[in-house]
Amino acid sequence: MINVLFSAGAGQWDAYRAPLTEALEDAGLPARIAPDMAPEDVDYIVYSPASGVTDFAAFPRLRAVLSLWAGVERIVGNPTLTVPLTRMVDDGLREGMVEWVTGHVLRHHLGLDRHVATQDGTWLEGSVPPLARHRTVAILGLGALGQACAAALAGLNFRVLGWSRTGATLPGAETHAGPEGLAYVLSRAEILILLLPETPATTNLMNAERLALLPPGAVIINPGRGPLIDDDALLAALERGHLAHATLDVFRQEPLPPGHPFWAHPSVTVTPHIASATREDTASRIIADNISRDQKGAQMRFLVDRSLGY
Ligand code: NAP
């Protein structure tokens, strides 16, 4: 019998109990999954940041921790975690992010606010939006989510630039790596999308200097992680009109405190970390598949590289 501890918050257990049980059964795994279990029995932990577990050394036969979240910044540096850690890559997460990113890119590209928010009897002459083929959209981070967004935006005919650590090549996008590549991409990004993980190398990546590289009137969309942007530098760039707008889904402190300047800023849109979410049905299949692989001695998918932090 394989013992799987579901340690992802009490609220999640109700949603995951049935699909995870079914996925483990379908994978042919004789498994017991429960939100409480004697530590000495636990083989795998299904984890989210809502987990109360901080000392992984308390689980003597633990084989792996499987994160329900794509972002693993809150667990990856835990010194008690010495077994493999996997992050979540699932269709639901990917599809949700593509829809959210595409929606917000189109909002800014088409200037939808002009017509949605200010219907005041003025016939706005000359407000025909440009075609996507004349708009450059840049994506920092070309992993599971960045690649999917790049493909969707390229499919709409946007000029897509991408930047990542290794500079992966993508159909329909011009990709870059390294500091010069970043400067090149930023200097052309009319709409910039951040889909990087939070790591020591990406924290404050979008500081005052890099924000200044963006073309005047650029829009920044951040569904990645709050610390990717220096908040004060962003507010300063918005104040002086260098940036036209920031659409932010993630923040250094979540929930974003009620008094935070982002809430009231006319050029900031706040969404409450809802760009995308792991979906129980698809994610349960990924978890079961990874446990099955490990049980067969095969390598699990979506392993986190501890030295890189993602
Ligand atoms: P992923 O597959 O691990 O991809 C990460 C990408 O970032 C890769 O392209 C990687 O480059 C690049 N990268 C990492 N460090 C870098 C650095 N120092 N310089 C340049 N590029 C770097 O991650 P994912 O599944 O696409 O998810 C991305 C992030 O989205 C997550 O970490 C999470 O923070 C966020 N997220 C947010 C939500 C939400 O609802 N707001 C939902 C899910 C995820 P290489 O390709 O060269 O390795």
mmCIF file of all heavy atoms in Angstrom, residues 52-91:
data_model
loop_
_atom_site.group_PDB
_atom_site.id
_atom_site.type_symbol
_atom_site.label_atom_id
_atom_site.label_comp_id
_atom_site.label_asym_id
_atom_site.label_seq_id
_atom_site.Cartn_x
_atom_site.Cartn_y
_atom_site.Cartn_z
ATOM 1 N N GLY A 52 0.373 22.736 6.341
ATOM 2 C CA GLY A 52 0.991 23.097 7.612
ATOM 3 C C GLY A 52 2.377 22.485 7.771
ATOM 4 O O GLY A 52 3.086 22.760 8.734
ATOM 5 N N VAL A 53 2.779 21.650 6.821
ATOM 6 C CA VAL A 53 4.058 20.936 6.966
ATOM 7 C C VAL A 53 5.223 21.870 6.653
ATOM 8 O O VAL A 53 5.274 22.502 5.596
ATOM 9 C CB VAL A 53 4.121 19.720 6.011
ATOM 10 C CG1 VAL A 53 5.493 19.065 6.073
ATOM 11 C CG2 VAL A 53 3.031 18.713 6.358
ATOM 12 N N THR A 54 6.146 21.950 7.599
ATOM 13 C CA THR A 54 7.374 22.708 7.346
ATOM 14 C C THR A 54 8.616 21.839 7.575
ATOM 15 O O THR A 54 9.674 22.128 7.038
ATOM 16 C CB THR A 54 7.474 23.945 8.270
ATOM 17 O OG1 THR A 54 7.270 23.514 9.613
ATOM 18 C CG2 THR A 54 6.429 24.998 7.906
ATOM 19 N N ASP A 55 8.446 20.757 8.361
ATOM 20 C CA ASP A 55 9.595 19.883 8.652
ATOM 21 C C ASP A 55 9.428 18.547 7.926
ATOM 22 O O ASP A 55 8.774 17.631 8.419
ATOM 23 C CB ASP A 55 9.717 19.660 10.160
ATOM 24 C CG ASP A 55 10.910 18.774 10.490
ATOM 25 O OD1 ASP A 55 11.748 18.522 9.572
ATOM 26 O OD2 ASP A 55 11.003 18.319 11.642
ATOM 27 N N PHE A 56 10.038 18.459 6.755
ATOM 28 C CA PHE A 56 9.892 17.246 5.955
ATOM 29 C C PHE A 56 10.754 16.108 6.492
ATOM 30 O O PHE A 56 10.559 14.949 6.133
ATOM 31 C CB PHE A 56 10.206 17.538 4.487
ATOM 32 C CG PHE A 56 9.194 18.448 3.856
ATOM 33 C CD1 PHE A 56 9.382 19.826 3.828
ATOM 34 C CD2 PHE A 56 8.018 17.933 3.330
ATOM 35 C CE1 PHE A 56 8.443 20.670 3.272
ATOM 36 C CE2 PHE A 56 7.057 18.765 2.777
ATOM 37 C CZ PHE A 56 7.273 20.145 2.745
ATOM 38 N N ALA A 57 11.683 16.447 7.380
ATOM 39 C CA ALA A 57 12.523 15.402 7.994
ATOM 40 C C ALA A 57 11.702 14.517 8.924
ATOM 41 O O ALA A 57 12.141 13.431 9.311
ATOM 42 C CB ALA A 57 13.675 16.057 8.759
ATOM 43 N N ALA A 58 10.501 14.959 9.259
ATOM 44 C CA ALA A 58 9.641 14.172 10.152
ATOM 45 C C ALA A 58 9.010 12.978 9.440
ATOM 46 O O ALA A 58 8.311 12.182 10.075
ATOM 47 C CB ALA A 58 8.539 15.072 10.720
ATOM 48 N N PHE A 59 9.261 12.848 8.121
ATOM 49 C CA PHE A 59 8.643 11.764 7.340
ATOM 50 C C PHE A 59 9.749 10.813 6.877
ATOM 51 O O PHE A 59 10.353 11.018 5.809
ATOM 52 C CB PHE A 59 7.892 12.345 6.137
ATOM 53 C CG PHE A 59 6.808 13.312 6.540
ATOM 54 C CD1 PHE A 59 7.085 14.676 6.674
ATOM 55 C CD2 PHE A 59 5.521 12.858 6.795
ATOM 56 C CE1 PHE A 59 6.094 15.559 7.048
ATOM 57 C CE2 PHE A 59 4.518 13.748 7.170
ATOM 58 C CZ PHE A 59 4.811 15.096 7.304
ATOM 59 N N PRO A 60 10.043 9.770 7.656
ATOM 60 C CA PRO A 60 11.241 8.962 7.391
ATOM 61 C C PRO A 60 11.225 8.207 6.064
ATOM 62 O O PRO A 60 12.276 7.931 5.510
ATOM 63 C CB PRO A 60 11.278 7.994 8.578
ATOM 64 C CG PRO A 60 9.896 8.008 9.160
ATOM 65 C CD PRO A 60 9.318 9.349 8.861
ATOM 66 N N ARG A 61 10.019 7.843 5.539
ATOM 67 C CA ARG A 61 10.028 7.086 4.278
ATOM 68 C C ARG A 61 9.522 7.904 3.090
ATOM 69 O O ARG A 61 9.184 7.346 2.029
ATOM 70 C CB ARG A 61 9.261 5.773 4.419
ATOM 71 C CG ARG A 61 7.867 5.902 5.006
ATOM 72 C CD ARG A 61 7.276 4.547 5.263
ATOM 73 N NE ARG A 61 6.491 4.107 4.113
ATOM 74 C CZ ARG A 61 5.747 3.029 4.128
ATOM 75 N NH1 ARG A 61 5.706 2.252 5.210
ATOM 76 N NH2 ARG A 61 5.046 2.671 3.072
ATOM 77 N N LEU A 62 9.513 9.225 3.275
ATOM 78 C CA LEU A 62 9.024 10.109 2.209
ATOM 79 C C LEU A 62 9.860 9.925 0.941
ATOM 80 O O LEU A 62 11.087 9.972 0.980
ATOM 81 C CB LEU A 62 9.118 11.570 2.695
ATOM 82 C CG LEU A 62 8.521 12.633 1.786
ATOM 83 C CD1 LEU A 62 7.019 12.444 1.620
ATOM 84 C CD2 LEU A 62 8.809 14.033 2.354
ATOM 85 N N ARG A 63 9.166 9.720 -0.202
ATOM 86 C CA ARG A 63 9.883 9.526 -1.469
ATOM 87 C C ARG A 63 9.881 10.787 -2.339
ATOM 88 O O ARG A 63 10.810 11.007 -3.114
ATOM 89 C CB ARG A 63 9.253 8.373 -2.271
ATOM 90 C CG ARG A 63 9.459 7.013 -1.614
ATOM 91 C CD ARG A 63 9.096 5.901 -2.576
ATOM 92 N NE ARG A 63 9.759 6.038 -3.858
ATOM 93 C CZ ARG A 63 11.028 5.680 -4.107
ATOM 94 N NH1 ARG A 63 11.756 5.145 -3.131
ATOM 95 N NH2 ARG A 63 11.535 5.839 -5.302
ATOM 96 N N ALA A 64 8.796 11.587 -2.223
ATOM 97 C CA ALA A 64 8.735 12.803 -3.041
ATOM 98 C C ALA A 64 7.635 13.712 -2.536
ATOM 99 O O ALA A 64 6.698 13.256 -1.878
ATOM 100 C CB ALA A 64 8.460 12.456 -4.514
ATOM 101 N N VAL A 65 7.769 15.002 -2.864
ATOM 102 C CA VAL A 65 6.717 15.980 -2.585
ATOM 103 C C VAL A 65 6.216 16.479 -3.942
ATOM 104 O O VAL A 65 7.006 16.859 -4.806
ATOM 105 C CB VAL A 65 7.239 17.149 -1.732
ATOM 106 C CG1 VAL A 65 6.177 18.233 -1.579
ATOM 107 C CG2 VAL A 65 7.682 16.640 -0.361
ATOM 108 N N LEU A 66 4.879 16.440 -4.113
ATOM 109 C CA LEU A 66 4.281 16.821 -5.395
ATOM 110 C C LEU A 66 3.455 18.084 -5.184
ATOM 111 O O LEU A 66 2.433 18.050 -4.495
ATOM 112 C CB LEU A 66 3.412 15.670 -5.922
ATOM 113 C CG LEU A 66 4.203 14.350 -6.072
ATOM 114 C CD1 LEU A 66 3.767 13.338 -5.019
ATOM 115 C CD2 LEU A 66 4.064 13.776 -7.450
ATOM 116 N N SER A 67 3.936 19.190 -5.743
ATOM 117 C CA SER A 67 3.282 20.479 -5.528
ATOM 118 C C SER A 67 2.056 20.615 -6.426
ATOM 119 O O SER A 67 2.109 20.292 -7.614
ATOM 120 C CB SER A 67 4.266 21.613 -5.817
ATOM 121 O OG SER A 67 3.590 22.850 -5.843
ATOM 122 N N LEU A 68 0.982 21.131 -5.852
ATOM 123 C CA LEU A 68 -0.207 21.433 -6.663
ATOM 124 C C LEU A 68 -0.061 22.780 -7.347
ATOM 125 O O LEU A 68 -0.880 23.143 -8.175
ATOM 126 C CB LEU A 68 -1.467 21.458 -5.790
ATOM 127 C CG LEU A 68 -1.988 20.123 -5.285
ATOM 128 C CD1 LEU A 68 -3.223 20.334 -4.420
ATOM 129 C CD2 LEU A 68 -2.327 19.194 -6.450
ATOM 130 N N TRP A 69 0.945 23.537 -6.970
ATOM 131 C CA TRP A 69 1.173 24.851 -7.569
ATOM 132 C C TRP A 69 2.345 24.781 -8.551
ATOM 133 O O TRP A 69 3.284 24.012 -8.335
ATOM 134 C CB TRP A 69 1.511 25.881 -6.479
ATOM 135 C CG TRP A 69 0.331 26.345 -5.665
ATOM 136 C CD1 TRP A 69 -0.777 25.618 -5.329
ATOM 137 C CD2 TRP A 69 0.159 27.649 -5.082
ATOM 138 N NE1 TRP A 69 -1.623 26.392 -4.574
ATOM 139 C CE2 TRP A 69 -1.093 27.632 -4.401
ATOM 140 C CE3 TRP A 69 0.921 28.807 -5.057
ATOM 141 C CZ2 TRP A 69 -1.578 28.755 -3.714
ATOM 142 C CZ3 TRP A 69 0.442 29.920 -4.373
ATOM 143 C CH2 TRP A 69 -0.801 29.887 -3.724
ATOM 144 N N ALA A 70 2.266 25.629 -9.585
ATOM 145 C CA ALA A 70 3.386 25.733 -10.524
ATOM 146 C C ALA A 70 4.560 26.454 -9.860
ATOM 147 O O ALA A 70 5.717 26.087 -10.051
ATOM 148 C CB ALA A 70 2.949 26.497 -11.774
ATOM 149 N N GLY A 71 4.247 27.483 -9.080
ATOM 150 C CA GLY A 71 5.298 28.253 -8.396
ATOM 151 C C GLY A 71 5.658 27.568 -7.088
ATOM 152 O O GLY A 71 4.794 27.262 -6.280
ATOM 153 N N VAL A 72 6.941 27.310 -6.891
ATOM 154 C CA VAL A 72 7.368 26.538 -5.717
ATOM 155 C C VAL A 72 8.279 27.353 -4.792
ATOM 156 O O VAL A 72 9.000 26.789 -3.970
ATOM 157 C CB VAL A 72 8.083 25.233 -6.143
ATOM 158 C CG1 VAL A 72 7.105 24.252 -6.764
ATOM 159 C CG2 VAL A 72 9.247 25.523 -7.099
ATOM 160 N N GLU A 73 8.223 28.681 -4.914
ATOM 161 C CA GLU A 73 9.162 29.519 -4.162
ATOM 162 C C GLU A 73 9.018 29.371 -2.651
ATOM 163 O O GLU A 73 9.970 29.604 -1.916
ATOM 164 C CB GLU A 73 9.029 30.984 -4.576
ATOM 165 C CG GLU A 73 7.730 31.686 -4.184
ATOM 166 C CD GLU A 73 6.552 31.389 -5.111
ATOM 167 O OE1 GLU A 73 6.735 30.701 -6.127
ATOM 168 O OE2 GLU A 73 5.436 31.841 -4.798
ATOM 169 N N ARG A 74 7.856 28.937 -2.176
ATOM 170 C CA ARG A 74 7.683 28.871 -0.724
ATOM 171 C C ARG A 74 8.178 27.556 -0.132
ATOM 172 O O ARG A 74 8.197 27.392 1.072
ATOM 173 C CB ARG A 74 6.205 29.058 -0.365
ATOM 174 C CG ARG A 74 5.724 30.450 -0.743
ATOM 175 C CD ARG A 74 4.587 30.878 0.141
ATOM 176 N NE ARG A 74 3.546 31.462 -0.656
ATOM 177 C CZ ARG A 74 2.275 31.567 -0.294
ATOM 178 N NH1 ARG A 74 1.885 31.085 0.862
ATOM 179 N NH2 ARG A 74 1.402 32.118 -1.084
ATOM 180 N N ILE A 75 8.537 26.599 -0.980
ATOM 181 C CA ILE A 75 8.996 25.303 -0.462
ATOM 182 C C ILE A 75 10.405 24.955 -0.946
ATOM 183 O O ILE A 75 11.137 24.237 -0.267
ATOM 184 C CB ILE A 75 7.988 24.178 -0.849
ATOM 185 C CG1 ILE A 75 8.440 22.827 -0.299
ATOM 186 C CG2 ILE A 75 7.739 24.107 -2.329
ATOM 187 C CD1 ILE A 75 7.493 21.676 -0.546
ATOM 188 N N VAL A 76 10.808 25.508 -2.077
ATOM 189 C CA VAL A 76 12.032 25.023 -2.724
ATOM 190 C C VAL A 76 13.285 25.202 -1.862
ATOM 191 O O VAL A 76 14.220 24.398 -1.931
ATOM 192 C CB VAL A 76 12.201 25.677 -4.123
ATOM 193 C CG1 VAL A 76 12.525 27.158 -4.009
ATOM 194 C CG2 VAL A 76 13.236 24.951 -4.944
ATOM 195 N N GLY A 77 13.285 26.213 -1.007
ATOM 196 C CA GLY A 77 14.478 26.452 -0.190
ATOM 197 C C GLY A 77 14.412 25.795 1.180
ATOM 198 O O GLY A 77 15.322 25.992 1.998
ATOM 199 N N ASN A 78 13.385 24.993 1.428
ATOM 200 C CA ASN A 78 13.240 24.367 2.751
ATOM 201 C C ASN A 78 14.378 23.362 2.961
ATOM 202 O O ASN A 78 14.468 22.350 2.247
ATOM 203 C CB ASN A 78 11.878 23.666 2.834
ATOM 204 C CG ASN A 78 11.600 23.125 4.225
ATOM 205 O OD1 ASN A 78 12.493 22.582 4.876
ATOM 206 N ND2 ASN A 78 10.366 23.271 4.672
ATOM 207 N N PRO A 79 15.254 23.600 3.944
ATOM 208 C CA PRO A 79 16.425 22.728 4.099
ATOM 209 C C PRO A 79 16.075 21.309 4.555
ATOM 210 O O PRO A 79 16.901 20.402 4.407
ATOM 211 C CB PRO A 79 17.267 23.446 5.162
ATOM 212 C CG PRO A 79 16.314 24.345 5.883
ATOM 213 C CD PRO A 79 15.221 24.687 4.926
ATOM 214 N N THR A 80 14.866 21.101 5.064
ATOM 215 C CA THR A 80 14.490 19.743 5.507
ATOM 216 C C THR A 80 13.984 18.900 4.342
ATOM 217 O O THR A 80 13.742 17.704 4.502
ATOM 218 C CB THR A 80 13.394 19.784 6.603
ATOM 219 O OG1 THR A 80 12.161 20.250 6.028
ATOM 220 C CG2 THR A 80 13.800 20.690 7.755
ATOM 221 N N LEU A 81 13.814 19.534 3.191
ATOM 222 C CA LEU A 81 13.291 18.808 2.030
ATOM 223 C C LEU A 81 14.461 18.270 1.215
ATOM 224 O O LEU A 81 15.132 19.015 0.502
ATOM 225 C CB LEU A 81 12.429 19.736 1.175
ATOM 226 C CG LEU A 81 11.776 19.090 -0.040
ATOM 227 C CD1 LEU A 81 10.766 18.029 0.368
ATOM 228 C CD2 LEU A 81 11.116 20.143 -0.907
ATOM 229 N N THR A 82 14.690 16.967 1.314
ATOM 230 C CA THR A 82 15.841 16.390 0.626
ATOM 231 C C THR A 82 15.423 15.403 -0.463
ATOM 232 O O THR A 82 16.258 14.912 -1.208
ATOM 233 C CB THR A 82 16.748 15.655 1.647
ATOM 234 O OG1 THR A 82 15.938 14.741 2.370
ATOM 235 C CG2 THR A 82 17.394 16.638 2.620
ATOM 236 N N VAL A 83 14.106 15.140 -0.543
ATOM 237 C CA VAL A 83 13.604 14.221 -1.585
ATOM 238 C C VAL A 83 13.195 15.043 -2.813
ATOM 239 O O VAL A 83 13.082 16.265 -2.729
ATOM 240 C CB VAL A 83 12.393 13.409 -1.056
ATOM 241 C CG1 VAL A 83 12.809 12.521 0.100
ATOM 242 C CG2 VAL A 83 11.242 14.333 -0.663
ATOM 243 N N PRO A 84 12.945 14.385 -3.950
ATOM 244 C CA PRO A 84 12.543 15.140 -5.150
ATOM 245 C C PRO A 84 11.255 15.938 -4.929
ATOM 246 O O PRO A 84 10.359 15.507 -4.205
ATOM 247 C CB PRO A 84 12.334 14.047 -6.201
ATOM 248 C CG PRO A 84 13.188 12.914 -5.739
ATOM 249 C CD PRO A 84 13.156 12.948 -4.241
ATOM 250 N N LEU A 85 11.212 17.106 -5.584
ATOM 251 C CA LEU A 85 10.046 17.995 -5.540
ATOM 252 C C LEU A 85 9.586 18.191 -6.977
ATOM 253 O O LEU A 85 10.397 18.499 -7.852
ATOM 254 C CB LEU A 85 10.455 19.339 -4.923
ATOM 255 C CG LEU A 85 9.470 20.506 -5.030
ATOM 256 C CD1 LEU A 85 8.215 20.242 -4.189
ATOM 257 C CD2 LEU A 85 10.135 21.813 -4.561
ATOM 258 N N THR A 86 8.286 17.994 -7.220
ATOM 259 C CA THR A 86 7.753 18.279 -8.561
ATOM 260 C C THR A 86 6.828 19.478 -8.475
ATOM 261 O O THR A 86 6.194 19.725 -7.455
ATOM 262 C CB THR A 86 6.964 17.088 -9.152
ATOM 263 O OG1 THR A 86 5.833 16.801 -8.323
ATOM 264 C CG2 THR A 86 7.844 15.855 -9.261
ATOM 265 N N ARG A 87 6.772 20.263 -9.570
ATOM 266 C CA ARG A 87 5.849 21.391 -9.626
ATOM 267 C C ARG A 87 4.685 20.990 -10.523
ATOM 268 O O ARG A 87 4.746 19.965 -11.200
ATOM 269 C CB ARG A 87 6.573 22.637 -10.148
ATOM 270 C CG ARG A 87 7.013 22.490 -11.540
ATOM 271 C CD ARG A 87 8.044 23.514 -11.958
ATOM 272 N NE ARG A 87 8.366 23.228 -13.339
ATOM 273 C CZ ARG A 87 7.606 23.583 -14.344
ATOM 274 N NH1 ARG A 87 6.512 24.276 -14.128
ATOM 275 N NH2 ARG A 87 7.928 23.250 -15.573
ATOM 276 N N MET A 88 3.640 21.809 -10.531
ATOM 277 C CA MET A 88 2.454 21.427 -11.301
ATOM 278 C C MET A 88 2.501 22.008 -12.711
ATOM 279 O O MET A 88 2.694 23.203 -12.905
ATOM 280 C CB MET A 88 1.181 21.901 -10.569
ATOM 281 C CG MET A 88 -0.107 21.505 -11.274
ATOM 282 S SD MET A 88 -0.219 19.739 -11.723
ATOM 283 C CE MET A 88 -0.243 18.940 -10.125
ATOM 284 N N VAL A 89 2.360 21.120 -13.659
ATOM 285 C CA VAL A 89 2.133 21.512 -15.054
ATOM 286 C C VAL A 89 0.886 20.752 -15.457
ATOM 287 O O VAL A 89 0.901 19.520 -15.465
ATOM 288 C CB VAL A 89 3.320 21.088 -15.952
ATOM 289 C CG1 VAL A 89 3.018 21.374 -17.417
ATOM 290 C CG2 VAL A 89 4.596 21.808 -15.525
ATOM 291 N N ASP A 90 -0.208 21.437 -15.678
ATOM 292 C CA ASP A 90 -1.401 20.700 -16.092
ATOM 293 C C ASP A 90 -2.201 21.509 -17.093
ATOM 294 O O ASP A 90 -2.041 22.730 -17.197
ATOM 295 C CB ASP A 90 -2.236 20.262 -14.874
ATOM 296 C CG ASP A 90 -3.302 21.254 -14.481
ATOM 297 O OD1 ASP A 90 -2.949 22.406 -14.208
ATOM 298 O OD2 ASP A 90 -4.480 20.874 -14.442
ATOM 299 N N ASP A 91 -3.033 20.814 -17.839
ATOM 300 C CA ASP A 91 -3.771 21.461 -18.930
ATOM 301 C C ASP A 91 -4.668 22.577 -18.415
ATOM 302 O O ASP A 91 -4.779 23.628 -19.044
ATOM 303 C CB ASP A 91 -4.628 20.427 -19.678
ATOM 304 C CG ASP A 91 -3.774 19.495 -20.512
ATOM 305 O OD1 ASP A 91 -2.583 19.802 -20.719
ATOM 306 O OD2 ASP A 91 -4.291 18.452 -20.950
#
